[in-house]
Amino acid sequence: MESIQFIKALRSTDMSIANIKRYVQLFNEGKETVQERKELIQNHKKKKDILYI
């Protein structure tokens, strides 16, 4: 249930379905993908920040 809430939260930030799918794929691959997941979130945040400047 928590994962569904997290996916909804990502979508509410206008993250693309493709990036959400990528995040879920990375999550399912395990702890070794933490850095890549972090970068995906950070890149999304940067794009959002640029749109609102």
Side-chain angles (χ1 to χ4, degrees):
M1 233 12 176
E2 290 177 25
S3 59
I4 292 172
Q5 294 298 334
F6 187 70
I7 290 169
K8 285 182 175 183
L10 291 176
R11 190 65 185 133
S12 74
T13 68
D14 295 324
M15 181 178 275
S16 70
I17 299 296
N19 279 343
I20 293 171
K21 285 181 176 181
R22 178 68 181 143
Y23 185 93
V24 171
Q25 176 186 15
L26 291 169
F27 179 83
N28 288 333
E29 290 176 16
K31 291 181 181 180
E32 62 273 1
T33 66
V34 168
Q35 185 61 37
E36 192 172 350
R37 286 182 272 154
K38 183 177 177 181
E39 290 170 6
L40 193 146
I41 297 287
Q42 289 172 334
N43 289 335
H44 175 66
K45 183 181 181 318
K46 286 178 189 175
K47 288 178 187 176
K48 293 294 290 182
D49 289 345
I50 290 171
L51 290 175
Y52 293 107
I53 292 178

